[in-house]
């Protein structure tokens, strides 16, 4: 079965004037227009293509790679807004439609929006939705405390920054745990810091506990090398100063310099800073 909104590996069935017809070995066929036909091919060859609907709502194949596929999230630019909704640039000839009902906030031309792509059962078309929370579920978690997870920055809140966890769950990075600039759509790694009784997920951008010491210690060593072997930071330094210089919390900083001191890689001058041995 040829799957709309996904990559399909299909067989070249025949060469025609408008392009190649591809098949899935069953009854499904789709056209690969001439602009995407490879220079060298043979009937029977297999080719990987992305399948979506053209301007006449017919399935069509392309070798272009879209910025988003069905069941995924991505930050897309709005090209235009009409009486029907917004049209987003997803890297293909035909733009991706986002109806007004699926807009968390009214989209504007030129704006960038984090959206989810899905197949609308009523229209049988691929559409986008910026109401991303509607496609996340924390009722049955597939993660546990201390798991490393993939994150997509979703939207800010008063408490911190909401993130999409493994494209499945909603999590929150609290303001106190944010030590670098985050923008909507950013993709990064994180750790499940805590699973609350209501299945809400607290996320850390750093590793937890002793697993956090080595990476932070290495980061401090690199900063020391880049700054002539000295950093004017110590256990009495202002937490904001440490955050600005090293992108880590004061607690993580103190653990890391304790490790480096025990390993005799640094000296600590009270009230002044740390130096390479």
């Amino acid at each position: 079965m040829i799957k709309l909104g996904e990559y399909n590996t299909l067989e070249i069935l025949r060469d025609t004037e408008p392009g190649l017809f591809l098949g899935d070995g069953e009854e499904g066929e789709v056209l690969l227009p001439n602009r995407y036909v490879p220079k060298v091919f043979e009937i029977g060859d297999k080719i990987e293509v992305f399948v979506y609907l053209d301007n006449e709502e017919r399935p069509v194949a392309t070798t272009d790679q879209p910025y988003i596929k069905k069941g995924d999230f991505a930050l897309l630019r709005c090209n235009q807004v009409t009486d029907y909704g917004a049209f987003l640039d997803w890297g293909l000839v035909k733009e991706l439609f986002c109806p007004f009902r699926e807009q968390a906030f009214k989209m504007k031309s030129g704006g960038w929006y984090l959206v989810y792509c899905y197949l609308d059962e009523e229209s049988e078309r691929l559409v986008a939705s910026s109401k991303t929370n509607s496609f996340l579920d924390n009722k049955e978690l597939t993660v546990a405390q201390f798991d490393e997870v993939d994150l997509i920055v979703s939207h800010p809140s008063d408490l911190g920054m909401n993130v999409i966890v493994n494209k499945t769950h909603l999590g929150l990075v609290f303001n106190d745990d944010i030590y670098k600039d985050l923008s909507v759509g950013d993709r990064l790694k994180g750790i499940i810091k805590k699973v609350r009784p209501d299945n809400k997920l607290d996320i850390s951008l750093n590793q937890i506990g002793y697993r956090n010491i080595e990476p932070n210690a290495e980061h401090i060593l690199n900063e020391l090398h880049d700054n002539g072997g000295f950093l004017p930071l110590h256990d009495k330094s202002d937490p904001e100063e440490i955050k600005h210089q090293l992108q880590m919390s004061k607690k993580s900083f103190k653990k890391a310099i304790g490790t480096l001191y025990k390993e005799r890689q640094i000296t600590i001058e009270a009230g002044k800073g740390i130096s390479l041995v």
Side-chain angles (χ1 to χ4, degrees):
M1 180 179 179
I2 297 176
K3 297 178 180 179
L4 201 63
E6 301 181 31
Y7 290 98
N8 296 257
T9 300
L10 304 176
E11 180 182 348
I12 299 176
L13 300 178
R14 58 186 183 278
D15 187 6
T16 68
E17 186 174 344
L20 299 178
F21 273 91
L22 312 177
D24 59 356
E26 298 177 8
E27 295 182 359
E29 290 188 3
V30 65
L31 174 69
L32 179 68
N34 284 318
R35 72 173 69 183
Y36 307 116
V37 172
K39 292 181 179 179
V40 179
F41 67 88
E42 292 184 6
I43 302 300
D45 284 351
K46 297 289 181 98
I47 184 170
E48 184 178 64
V49 293
F50 183 81
V51 179
Y52 69 114
L53 298 180
D54 64 13
N55 290 323
E56 297 182 15
E57 306 301 332
R58 298 172 303 187
V60 66
T62 177
T63 53
D64 286 345
Q65 295 185 342
Y67 307 141
I68 191 173
K69 59 184 178 66
K70 188 181 74 173
D72 205 354
F73 299 87
L75 188 69
L76 301 181
R77 182 182 185 276
C78 176
N79 281 348
Q80 60 175 321
V81 178
T82 70
D83 293 337
Y84 303 100
F87 290 85
L88 312 178
D89 176 14
W90 62 325
L92 301 180
V93 175
K94 183 187 177 184
E95 297 164 329
L96 182 63
F97 179 58
C98 182
F100 289 121
R101 70 176 186 275
E102 291 295 338
Q103 297 178 24
F105 302 97
K106 189 174 181 180
M107 293 181 173
K108 297 181 180 180
S109 179
W112 290 81
Y113 303 93
L114 182 68
V115 298
Y116 179 82
C117 179
Y118 70 98
L119 186 63
D120 180 52
E121 293 182 358
E122 184 177 333
S123 65
E124 296 186 345
R125 293 191 301 177
L126 292 168
V127 296
S129 173
S130 62
K131 297 180 178 180
T132 53
N133 283 3
S134 300
F135 303 93
L136 302 173
D137 187 2
N138 283 42
K139 291 180 181 179
E140 295 186 11
L141 295 179
T142 60
V143 295
Q145 190 176 24
F146 303 134
D147 282 357
E148 183 178 71
V149 290
D150 293 316
L151 306 174
I152 303 174
V153 177
S154 177
H155 57 279
S157 75
D158 292 338
L159 297 176
M161 188 68 80
N162 288 284
V163 291
I164 296 168
V165 180
N166 287 350
K167 301 180 183 179
T168 304
H169 307 305
L170 180 65
L172 178 69
V173 183
F174 284 91
N175 285 320
D176 291 344
D177 288 327
I178 298 176
Y179 308 114
K180 58 183 176 181
D181 292 335
L182 295 178
S183 300
V184 173
D186 283 353
R187 295 174 183 261
L188 62 163
K189 296 285 187 180
I191 299 289
I192 303 296
K193 184 176 182 180
K194 184 177 182 180
V195 178
R196 296 185 178 271
D198 55 2
N199 276 3
K200 289 183 178 179
L201 301 174
D202 294 357
I203 307 298
S204 172
L205 301 183
N206 292 318
Q207 291 180 306
I208 306 298
Y210 288 102
R211 288 176 289 181
N212 193 29
I213 294 176
E214 291 307 321
N216 283 337
E218 183 177 354
H219 178 57
I220 290 173
L221 286 177
N222 290 336
E223 287 292 313
L224 282 166
H225 284 291
D226 291 343
N227 288 273
F230 177 78
L231 288 174
L233 299 173
H234 46 82
D235 58 0
K236 302 296 183 183
S237 294
D238 184 88
E240 287 299 315
E241 187 178 0
I242 294 172
K243 175 181 175 180
H244 176 73
Q245 177 76 25
L246 298 173
Q247 295 79 51
M248 68 178 66
S249 68
K250 185 172 181 177
K251 182 179 179 181
S252 296
F253 169 74
K254 291 174 70 174
K255 284 184 178 181
I257 64 172
T259 297
L260 293 173
Y261 181 76
K262 289 177 182 177
E263 294 178 354
R264 299 182 181 180
Q265 297 193 54
I266 65 169
T267 58
I268 302 175
E269 300 178 60
K272 293 183 179 181
I274 56 177
S275 302
L276 285 171
V277 172

